[in-house]
Amino acid sequence: IVLDDYGTRKGVRQAVQEIVASGAASVRRYVGQGPTWTYGDVQVDDWEGVVLDPAPRGNVDDRSAHVGTRLVESLIKTSWVVFPAGVFSEGYFTPHGTITLEGNGQATSSYGDFEWRQALPGELEAGEEFGSIILQLKQEPLWRFQGKVNKHRTGMALLRGDGLVLVAVRQDMMRLVGDKLISFLH
């Protein structure tokens, strides 16, 4: 996670300090202008930006934990905020929708009810490393998504059968980073 304005915005620096203190992320490195530099007519005594690494959930180096039932079990009762592709480069943070994955292969969402499951080996792309899920909307327009889950299980690309690409971020990650940062920007 790359955050700008670390040195110039008190709210960004405070949010980063809280996230790091909670153990939810660690500082990988500082980026941009180093201390001391000027921003307009103000002297800044901290770095311009910071790069954070989210804390892993469980043992992310254990590849077997990302396939079969372990992937499904790790996603049960998780809620996801869905955005259009490019949200993080374009800065248009209006959610497209939400999805909550339940334990019985069912999911509720702002789009309607879904069924979901682990993707079968024949549904995976060659070399796919961390696993995918399949989501099928139960009512018209009967959308089918392949959800490619990242190794930390904090985000996924949602590839809809008609070619539309969306991104989903776990709601608990949104609360940790997004809500704090957005609240300081407004």
Side-chain angles (χ1 to χ4, degrees), residues 6 16 18 23 27 32 51 53 74 80 82 92-93 95 101 113 117-120 123 128 131 139 145 161-162 184:
Y6 178 78
V16 168
E18 289 175 14
V27 174
V51 179
D53 286 324
S74 72
W80 300 79
V82 180
Y92 182 69
F93 289 100
L101 303 174
D113 292 334
R117 62 174 172 77
Q118 171 75 31
L120 301 172
E123 296 171 311
E128 191 167 330
Q139 55 270 72
F145 289 93
D162 62 2
F184 290 117

Side-chain angles (χ1 to χ4, degrees), residues 78-166:
T78 58
S79 295
W80 300 79
V81 180
V82 180
F83 295 96
V87 63
F88 300 109
S89 60
E90 296 172 10
Y92 182 69
F93 289 100
T94 301
H96 189 278
T98 59
I99 298 173
T100 300
L101 303 174
E102 303 296 341
N104 54 1
Q106 304 297 307
T108 57
S109 79
S110 55
Y111 311 106
D113 292 334
F114 281 87
E115 292 179 340
W116 74 284
R117 62 174 172 77
Q118 171 75 31
L120 301 172
E123 296 171 311
L124 301 176
E125 292 181 12
E128 191 167 330
E129 194 171 344
F130 298 111
S132 290
I133 60 173
I134 302 298
L135 298 111
Q136 178 71 55
L137 187 62
K138 293 190 217 182
Q139 55 270 72
E140 292 292 333
L142 298 173
W143 290 328
R144 182 179 187 275
F145 289 93
Q146 179 179 3
K148 294 185 172 213
V149 183
N150 72 359
K151 67 180 180 179
H152 299 289
R153 299 184 188 119
T154 57
M156 70 175 129
L158 291 169
L159 311 173
R160 199 166 74 186
D162 62 2
L164 179 71
V165 178
L166 301 169

Side-chain angles (χ1 to χ4, degrees), residues 26-94:
S26 61
V27 174
R28 179 187 299 177
R29 61 181 280 207
Y30 295 95
V31 294
Q33 295 286 335
T36 297
W37 56 287
T38 55
Y39 179 70
D41 60 346
V42 176
Q43 180 176 322
V44 180
D45 296 319
D46 217 324
W47 284 89
E48 183 178 7
V50 62
V51 179
L52 299 179
D53 286 324
R57 297 181 188 280
N59 184 0
V60 297
D61 294 326
D62 177 8
R63 288 182 52 154
S64 66
H66 299 287
V67 297
T69 58
R70 290 186 185 175
L71 175 64
V72 169
E73 288 170 0
S74 72
L75 298 176
I76 291 172
K77 298 203 180 294
T78 58
S79 295
W80 300 79
V81 180
V82 180
F83 295 96
V87 63
F88 300 109
S89 60
E90 296 172 10
Y92 182 69
F93 289 100
T94 301

